[in-house]
Amino acid sequence: MVTIDAMYARLRDSDDGVGILLADLWRLDPGPPPAGPPPARLRQQVAEVVGNIAVHWPQRAMFAGVRTLERLGQITLEHDETYVLAMISALGDRGEAEPRLAAIRADEELRESLLWRVFEVEGGGEVSLANVDKFSHPDAGWSTCLRTLAADGTLPRARLLDACLRALARDFSAYRAGFFSQLYTALAPAPAELDQARLLRLLASGVPATVSFAARHLVAADKAGGLDDPAFVGGAGAALTVPAKGTPLAVLALLDRIQARNPLLANDITAVVALGLEHRHREVQQRALALLRAAGATAEIAERVELLEPTVAREAADWLGASPSTVDQPSVAKPPGASPGTEPLAGPGTKPPGGSGTEQPAGPGTEPAAGPGPQRSVDERVAALLAGETDPFEIERFLADVAAGRVGRDLSGPARRVHRRGDDGSLGYAVAALVLGEPPKARGTLPAERIRELHRLAGPPRTLLATPTDASGWLDPAELVARLAAAPQPPHHDLVAALLRVHPGGRAGALRAAAGLPGEAGAAVRYALGGPPAPIGDRAVWIAAARSRAPLDDDPHLLAAGLGDPGQGRAVDIPLRVTEHRHTYRDGPYTRSVQWSEPDLRTCNGVADQPTVLAVRDWPGPGWIPWLAQTWPHDAEVFCGEALGEMLGAAGTERAYGASAVLDALAVHPGRLGPLAAGVLAAGLTATEIGPRTLAAEAFAAVVPPRRLDPALLAGAMVTLAHHATASRWSSALRASGAAPAVADVLSRALPRLPRDHPGLHALMATLHEESVRAGGVPVSPELRAWLAGFAGSSKAAKTARALLAEPA
């Protein structure tokens, strides 16, 4: 133990900051008050520390020192929200329980008043009760502390229980609200301690976990014989909207018991149970239907038949004596952002992945075609890109405007503001840099190097070769020849980009027109169009020409020159492989482990001007992704291979900021979608966040039904990622796609390759059942039927297997 005077002397005579003082003050000898005045600026320094620890968790008991100084009359602070958050953050220590316990036991004002404000302030980021407890040792967190103090009588138990329920009624996020429901449950209230009025109000919470919490405790009250039946029936309807099935099923079971003992409530109960037919989960619908059938509630069932899952709708229609004609397959719409000309394009040297739709590119000598939406002026286009637009066609037109000298200085003000923000890896920064004539910072990809190349170009206005003539990224062959004839010495990266974009249609006529093009650029263009080989000088140019000439075939000319990597002389044919990793480490007295998955792909030492070679590159920010995906319109595999790590992160615990952009790009890519594209889609369909998962469902509807992506490839990718994925998320995303026949096709191929005890398997089997009924029959497959026949017993999976075998093919 030390004295306050010794602390002050240390603060005056050493380089220790006030934070060091606060961290030690909880050990202060409660002896005599200080002999002299506090150091100058002590209050200001403490207030600065309080502001900092309210945002950043120091993992040490610094706030106990703040309270010590206040109680000794050395400082006075405002007890505002920042003060409360600092208390949450640093009243205790991450690894030791004693500092927080000692501080509360020794401080009457804290016990009686200030402490209870932690139930009123949500916090966020690093500092909240939920986050501090999550990363503290289990016996040192807030929850353990509060339970300890309630058990020994330091804190009133009834007030603690009431404070938890009041906190849950506030508009806190699900993550932070979880602390209070877990604390309340850990306190194990007896039936007599349950505040049914507050618990009933929590049934209408917007946080599903809170609704489940309230329902569990109300069920406990019922088991103890003390439930207020009329009040529960009046509030139970809200609980039937919880997405997970457990809470609605428990509520329906409780309503059934109430009706048995209280027939006067039958009509009210029927009205509530009917809401269960609107739930998305089949088991909830089935349970509600059974209760309504027992009650003879014909009208309530008939009104909701079209909302039911196909198998439940069939059962309801049979009972009603009607035909389940309302159970039709939803129409499959193109996802937002899909534009004309995005279908696979067939032509010489191209192996289209399926489908027959093509759109002819613009003819020779034409301006680039307008993208979706109205035509823009140069200034409008620049303003949109500075504001964050990432449409690749608009970016290409912007580069063409810059090269032609059409971008003036009128937008230098907005460009300067974007440039000052300093996000030098963003697309917006690169656009701003070109407008201002400043050197762009991004590099490492072909799009980034094209911007850097354009900045370096000097001289008169010019026409770029690579500006596409189609919104999907294609370049008309005749237009390429005409541009090269007018400017036979193109910049290096511009030539590479142009060769990769050459449309497979109309090449024969363009080849005849290219006969007189001079130099290596002319020879490479002729080769890309199907002409004869020539000596290889610039490797990147000839690789681009070969990958455009026959994107999915090996190229003998390049192989003879020693360019044998996939994406050079060899076709890109890379199987999907994923490696699971586990890392175990010590955290104080605890052993923790983390698991993650990484793509196990063959990569080469690629460079920016060889974007057809799968390489380990710095993955760009989200704004670059749509443009990067269009670099090689013939094939999406290299793009998907380089995006796969990002997507596996999105399916795990990481927040993958580029996942949505990757899925949007995949949905509209005009070229081949192979095993790596299937891996990207399979990972997206099990993404942790709902946004990317929804986009993955839209991408599925865009690429699988028309067989732009082979269902067998997607099924194989799902099997490869099965141990990394969450089956229930796959299930919900596939059903959200609205493409029942394609979903049934994919699952009928994937399921027989999974073990019968795979976690979450029943969710996928139930999805196969419902989507098969919706599509008109279970896919006929000997492998599937043999796999289904191998289930035995009474598990949900076994029951669903038998139901599937009983369905017509």
Side-chain angles (χ1 to χ4, degrees):
M1 289 289 190
V2 295
T3 66
I4 189 71
D5 287 318
M7 288 282 189
Y8 283 169
R10 174 178 161 189
L11 189 59
R12 292 188 185 98
D13 300 337
S14 74
D15 293 331
D16 291 344
V18 73
I20 300 294
L21 170 70
L22 295 174
D24 288 341
L25 271 178
W26 78 275
R27 296 185 176 88
L28 184 69
D29 184 352
R41 299 184 63 250
L42 178 65
R43 182 198 176 282
Q44 179 182 344
Q45 290 174 333
V46 172
E48 290 172 355
V49 171
V50 167
N52 183 268
I53 63 177
V55 178
H56 303 291
W57 180 36
Q59 304 184 25
R60 296 181 299 160
M62 298 172 68
F63 191 81
V66 175
R67 288 297 302 158
T68 299
L69 292 174
E70 286 189 290
R71 291 165 60 209
L72 290 171
Q74 301 298 290
I75 60 171
T76 302
L77 297 174
E78 183 180 356
H79 294 170
D80 56 8
E81 185 171 308
T82 298
Y83 183 92
V84 176
L85 288 172
M87 176 166 48
I88 291 171
S89 175
L91 185 63
D93 185 90
R94 175 177 178 268
E96 188 178 0
E98 185 57 28
R100 186 182 287 111
L101 292 170
I104 295 173
R105 286 172 172 148
D107 190 338
E108 183 178 0
E109 182 187 20
L110 190 64
R111 284 196 312 275
E112 298 299 324
S113 174
L114 295 175
L115 175 66
W116 302 98
R117 293 196 58 201
V118 304
F119 292 86
E120 302 170 2
V121 178
E122 179 178 15
E126 294 180 28
V127 178
S128 66
L129 290 168
N131 212 57
V132 169
D133 263 31
K134 179 179 180 180
F135 296 101
S136 294
H137 292 161
D139 57 357
W142 270 99
S143 180
T144 301
C145 168
L146 293 172
R147 284 185 281 123
T148 298
L149 295 173
D152 65 17
T154 302
L155 296 177
R157 175 182 170 85
R159 187 176 181 184
L160 199 55
L161 289 169
D162 183 68
C164 288
L165 295 183
R166 288 176 182 273
L168 288 168
R170 295 183 169 91
D171 190 23
F172 292 170
S173 73
Y175 171 64
R176 290 183 277 276
F179 171 87
F180 305 104
S181 59
Q182 291 162 18
L183 173 59
Y184 188 93
T185 301
L187 287 167
E193 294 179 294
L194 296 173
D195 187 335
Q196 289 192 40
R198 291 196 185 280
L199 289 167
L200 283 166
R201 285 196 288 272
L202 292 179
L203 291 179
S205 170
V207 178
T210 299
V211 181
S212 300
F213 155 84
R216 285 197 305 274
H217 287 286
L218 289 166
V219 168
D222 176 65
K223 289 180 179 178
L227 184 67
D228 183 340
D229 287 352
F232 180 81
V233 173
L240 293 177
T241 65
V242 173
K245 66 180 180 180
T247 299
L249 287 173
V251 168
L252 289 171
L254 182 48
L255 288 170
D256 190 24
R257 293 197 296 273
I258 292 172
Q259 179 161 315
R261 66 178 178 242
N262 201 337
L264 293 178
L265 294 174
N267 291 337
D268 293 335
I269 291 173
T270 295
V272 175
V273 170
L275 299 176
L277 296 180
E278 302 176 14
H279 197 274
R280 69 182 186 183
H281 203 286
R282 178 177 62 172
E283 288 186 44
V284 177
Q285 295 178 3
Q286 286 176 322
R287 180 61 174 150
L289 178 63
L291 295 178
L292 292 171
R293 287 175 59 180
T298 304
E300 286 79 2
I301 296 173
E303 289 173 0
R304 294 171 173 85
V305 168
E306 63 186 50
L307 302 176
L308 300 177
E309 290 290 281
T311 56
V312 185
R314 184 171 58 188
E315 181 183 347
D318 289 344
W319 184 75
L320 292 170
S323 171
S325 58
T326 53
V327 188
D328 294 329
Q329 181 188 337
S331 61
V332 178
K334 251 183 188 176
S339 58
T342 58
E343 291 80 8
L345 294 166
T350 301
K351 296 177 181 176
S356 58
T358 62
E359 177 172 289
Q360 291 303 316
T366 61
E367 287 296 314
Q375 280 277 26
R376 286 173 167 163
S377 68
V378 173
D379 286 353
E380 288 171 338
R381 180 173 299 114
V382 174
L385 293 174
L386 289 173
E389 182 169 317
T390 60
D391 182 347
F393 193 56
E394 290 298 305
I395 298 167
E396 291 285 358
R397 289 169 66 83
F398 164 69
L399 297 190
D401 290 335
V402 172
R406 293 190 290 265
V407 176
R409 302 295 180 189
D410 294 344
L411 289 171
S412 59
R416 186 71 62 191
R417 286 193 290 274
V418 173
H419 199 264
R420 280 200 203 101
R421 288 204 293 265
D423 186 6
D424 54 14
S426 73
L427 178 62
Y429 183 96
V431 170
L434 273 185
V435 172
L436 298 171
E438 300 284 345
K441 301 291 180 64
R443 59 190 315 157
T445 64
L446 183 61
E449 294 303 326
R450 287 181 60 201
I451 287 183
R452 293 168 63 83
E453 180 179 73
L454 186 54
H455 170 73
R456 293 192 300 266
L457 290 177
R462 67 174 67 226
T463 298
L464 296 180
L465 288 186
T467 306
T469 51
D470 177 271
S472 300
W474 295 111
L475 174 58
D476 177 71
E479 178 66 16
L480 170 61
V481 171
R483 291 176 186 173
L484 187 59
Q489 294 183 321
H492 170 74
H493 292 95
D494 184 38
L495 175 59
V496 169
L499 288 167
L500 290 172
R501 293 184 180 279
V502 178
H503 191 291
R507 292 188 174 191
L511 178 59
R512 289 191 294 272
L517 292 177
E520 186 173 26
V525 167
R526 286 190 291 273
Y527 190 67
L529 296 174
I536 294 175
D538 188 322
R539 290 185 166 197
V541 168
W542 282 92
I543 290 169
R547 291 301 100 211
S548 184
R549 177 189 178 100
L552 308 184
D553 291 333
D554 292 347
D555 187 278
H557 185 46
L558 266 63
L559 291 176
L563 298 172
D565 285 330
Q568 292 182 338
R570 297 200 182 280
V572 176
D573 184 15
I574 302 174
L576 174 67
R577 289 191 294 263
V578 173
T579 301
E580 303 288 333
H581 298 276
R582 178 189 290 269
H583 173 61
T584 303
Y585 63 97
R586 296 289 297 175
D587 181 12
Y590 304 97
T591 299
R592 305 188 189 274
S593 64
V594 245
Q595 288 182 269
W596 72 97
S597 298
E598 289 181 348
D600 181 14
L601 307 174
R602 178 188 172 188
T603 57
C604 304
N605 296 320
V607 290
D609 60 2
Q610 296 183 27
T612 58
V613 176
L614 182 62
V616 178
R617 300 182 174 94
D618 290 334
W619 186 243
W624 294 89
I625 290 173
W627 192 17
L628 187 65
Q630 270 197 9
T631 298
W632 189 20
H634 296 276
D635 193 0
E637 283 297 271
V638 171
F639 165 73
C640 289
E642 294 178 0
L644 188 56
E646 176 96 346
M647 297 307 302
L648 289 174
T653 58
E654 299 176 21
R655 184 167 189 180
Y657 293 95
S660 294
V662 169
L663 292 163
D664 273 339
L666 178 67
V668 298
H669 197 285
R672 186 219 7 187
L673 304 178
L676 303 185
V680 163
L681 183 55
L685 289 167
T686 187
T688 302
E689 296 182 359
I690 187 64
R693 203 157 67 243
T694 300
L695 291 174
E698 294 179 355
F700 179 96
V703 302
V704 180
R707 293 187 176 259
R708 291 173 51 205
L709 176 63
D710 188 338
L713 288 179
L714 180 57
M718 292 176 67
V719 173
T720 299
L721 300 186
H723 290 291
H724 181 77
T726 301
S728 59
R729 294 203 291 256
W730 262 344
S731 174
S732 64
L734 288 170
R735 296 175 74 171
S737 71
V743 171
D745 188 6
V746 169
L747 288 179
S748 70
R749 297 169 187 266
L751 287 174
R753 298 165 64 184
L754 295 176
R756 293 186 179 88
D757 60 351
H758 183 76
L761 185 66
H762 173 255
L764 293 175
M765 295 175 68
T767 296
L768 173 60
H769 191 191
E770 296 298 335
E771 299 304 284
S772 295
V773 172
R774 199 187 306 275
V778 177
V780 178
S781 161
E783 294 79 13
L784 175 63
R785 298 190 69 83
W787 183 78
L788 292 171
F791 282 89
S794 59
S795 68
K796 291 180 180 179
K799 291 178 181 177
T800 305
R802 289 192 286 273
L804 279 163
L805 288 170
E807 293 287 349

PDB file of all heavy atoms in Angstrom, residues 420-431:
ATOM      1  N   ARG A 420      -7.558  14.956 -50.410  1.00  0.00           N
ATOM      2  CA  ARG A 420      -7.085  15.300 -49.068  1.00  0.00           C
ATOM      3  C   ARG A 420      -7.425  14.228 -48.035  1.00  0.00           C
ATOM      4  O   ARG A 420      -6.776  14.140 -46.998  1.00  0.00           O
ATOM      5  CB  ARG A 420      -7.710  16.625 -48.609  1.00  0.00           C
ATOM      6  CG  ARG A 420      -7.033  17.856 -49.169  1.00  0.00           C
ATOM      7  CD  ARG A 420      -7.359  19.072 -48.315  1.00  0.00           C
ATOM      8  NE  ARG A 420      -7.189  20.295 -49.083  1.00  0.00           N
ATOM      9  CZ  ARG A 420      -8.178  20.988 -49.617  1.00  0.00           C
ATOM     10  NH1 ARG A 420      -9.429  20.587 -49.464  1.00  0.00           N
ATOM     11  NH2 ARG A 420      -7.942  22.088 -50.302  1.00  0.00           N
ATOM     12  N   ARG A 421      -8.476  13.464 -48.288  1.00  0.00           N
ATOM     13  CA  ARG A 421      -8.849  12.437 -47.317  1.00  0.00           C
ATOM     14  C   ARG A 421      -7.749  11.396 -47.160  1.00  0.00           C
ATOM     15  O   ARG A 421      -7.702  10.670 -46.169  1.00  0.00           O
ATOM     16  CB  ARG A 421     -10.155  11.755 -47.738  1.00  0.00           C
ATOM     17  CG  ARG A 421     -11.363  12.636 -47.562  1.00  0.00           C
ATOM     18  CD  ARG A 421     -12.645  11.826 -47.413  1.00  0.00           C
ATOM     19  NE  ARG A 421     -13.004  11.115 -48.613  1.00  0.00           N
ATOM     20  CZ  ARG A 421     -13.857  11.566 -49.530  1.00  0.00           C
ATOM     21  NH1 ARG A 421     -14.417  12.760 -49.378  1.00  0.00           N
ATOM     22  NH2 ARG A 421     -14.144  10.852 -50.599  1.00  0.00           N
ATOM     23  N   GLY A 422      -6.900  11.283 -48.163  1.00  0.00           N
ATOM     24  CA  GLY A 422      -5.693  10.492 -48.015  1.00  0.00           C
ATOM     25  C   GLY A 422      -5.855   8.986 -48.145  1.00  0.00           C
ATOM     26  O   GLY A 422      -4.933   8.244 -47.845  1.00  0.00           O
ATOM     27  N   ASP A 423      -7.015   8.510 -48.569  1.00  0.00           N
ATOM     28  CA  ASP A 423      -7.194   7.069 -48.776  1.00  0.00           C
ATOM     29  C   ASP A 423      -6.578   6.708 -50.128  1.00  0.00           C
ATOM     30  O   ASP A 423      -7.269   6.471 -51.115  1.00  0.00           O
ATOM     31  CB  ASP A 423      -8.683   6.724 -48.737  1.00  0.00           C
ATOM     32  CG  ASP A 423      -8.929   5.215 -48.792  1.00  0.00           C
ATOM     33  OD1 ASP A 423      -7.941   4.462 -48.737  1.00  0.00           O
ATOM     34  OD2 ASP A 423     -10.101   4.813 -48.880  1.00  0.00           O
ATOM     35  N   ASP A 424      -5.231   6.669 -50.138  1.00  0.00           N
ATOM     36  CA  ASP A 424      -4.535   6.623 -51.419  1.00  0.00           C
ATOM     37  C   ASP A 424      -4.656   5.283 -52.136  1.00  0.00           C
ATOM     38  O   ASP A 424      -4.229   5.141 -53.272  1.00  0.00           O
ATOM     39  CB  ASP A 424      -3.063   7.005 -51.254  1.00  0.00           C
ATOM     40  CG  ASP A 424      -2.349   6.165 -50.211  1.00  0.00           C
ATOM     41  OD1 ASP A 424      -2.906   5.138 -49.804  1.00  0.00           O
ATOM     42  OD2 ASP A 424      -1.240   6.547 -49.813  1.00  0.00           O
ATOM     43  N   GLY A 425      -5.259   4.271 -51.491  1.00  0.00           N
ATOM     44  CA  GLY A 425      -5.488   3.017 -52.190  1.00  0.00           C
ATOM     45  C   GLY A 425      -6.869   2.916 -52.804  1.00  0.00           C
ATOM     46  O   GLY A 425      -7.187   1.918 -53.448  1.00  0.00           O
ATOM     47  N   SER A 426      -7.713   3.929 -52.621  1.00  0.00           N
ATOM     48  CA  SER A 426      -9.082   3.838 -53.106  1.00  0.00           C
ATOM     49  C   SER A 426      -9.183   4.256 -54.563  1.00  0.00           C
ATOM     50  O   SER A 426      -8.353   5.016 -55.070  1.00  0.00           O
ATOM     51  CB  SER A 426     -10.008   4.719 -52.255  1.00  0.00           C
ATOM     52  OG  SER A 426      -9.786   6.084 -52.535  1.00  0.00           O
ATOM     53  N   LEU A 427     -10.237   3.796 -55.220  1.00  0.00           N
ATOM     54  CA  LEU A 427     -10.477   4.182 -56.600  1.00  0.00           C
ATOM     55  C   LEU A 427     -10.784   5.675 -56.688  1.00  0.00           C
ATOM     56  O   LEU A 427     -10.324   6.361 -57.605  1.00  0.00           O
ATOM     57  CB  LEU A 427     -11.628   3.360 -57.178  1.00  0.00           C
ATOM     58  CG  LEU A 427     -12.038   3.689 -58.611  1.00  0.00           C
ATOM     59  CD1 LEU A 427     -10.890   3.440 -59.583  1.00  0.00           C
ATOM     60  CD2 LEU A 427     -13.261   2.869 -59.011  1.00  0.00           C
ATOM     61  N   GLY A 428     -11.580   6.187 -55.738  1.00  0.00           N
ATOM     62  CA  GLY A 428     -11.897   7.607 -55.750  1.00  0.00           C
ATOM     63  C   GLY A 428     -10.655   8.476 -55.675  1.00  0.00           C
ATOM     64  O   GLY A 428     -10.576   9.520 -56.341  1.00  0.00           O
ATOM     65  N   TYR A 429      -9.663   8.084 -54.889  1.00  0.00           N
ATOM     66  CA  TYR A 429      -8.417   8.834 -54.785  1.00  0.00           C
ATOM     67  C   TYR A 429      -7.689   8.830 -56.128  1.00  0.00           C
ATOM     68  O   TYR A 429      -7.141   9.858 -56.560  1.00  0.00           O
ATOM     69  CB  TYR A 429      -7.529   8.220 -53.709  1.00  0.00           C
ATOM     70  CG  TYR A 429      -6.230   8.965 -53.456  1.00  0.00           C
ATOM     71  CD1 TYR A 429      -6.132   9.884 -52.433  1.00  0.00           C
ATOM     72  CD2 TYR A 429      -5.096   8.729 -54.238  1.00  0.00           C
ATOM     73  CE1 TYR A 429      -4.950  10.564 -52.190  1.00  0.00           C
ATOM     74  CE2 TYR A 429      -3.918   9.395 -54.013  1.00  0.00           C
ATOM     75  CZ  TYR A 429      -3.842  10.323 -52.981  1.00  0.00           C
ATOM     76  OH  TYR A 429      -2.672  11.002 -52.755  1.00  0.00           O
ATOM     77  N   ALA A 430      -7.682   7.660 -56.804  1.00  0.00           N
ATOM     78  CA  ALA A 430      -7.009   7.579 -58.103  1.00  0.00           C
ATOM     79  C   ALA A 430      -7.690   8.474 -59.129  1.00  0.00           C
ATOM     80  O   ALA A 430      -7.021   9.138 -59.942  1.00  0.00           O
ATOM     81  CB  ALA A 430      -6.989   6.131 -58.580  1.00  0.00           C
ATOM     82  N   VAL A 431      -9.037   8.513 -59.112  1.00  0.00           N
ATOM     83  CA  VAL A 431      -9.765   9.393 -60.016  1.00  0.00           C
ATOM     84  C   VAL A 431      -9.430  10.850 -59.709  1.00  0.00           C
ATOM     85  O   VAL A 431      -9.155  11.644 -60.611  1.00  0.00           O
ATOM     86  CB  VAL A 431     -11.282   9.144 -59.893  1.00  0.00           C
ATOM     87  CG1 VAL A 431     -12.074  10.207 -60.637  1.00  0.00           C
ATOM     88  CG2 VAL A 431     -11.634   7.755 -60.420  1.00  0.00           C
TER      89      VAL A 431
END
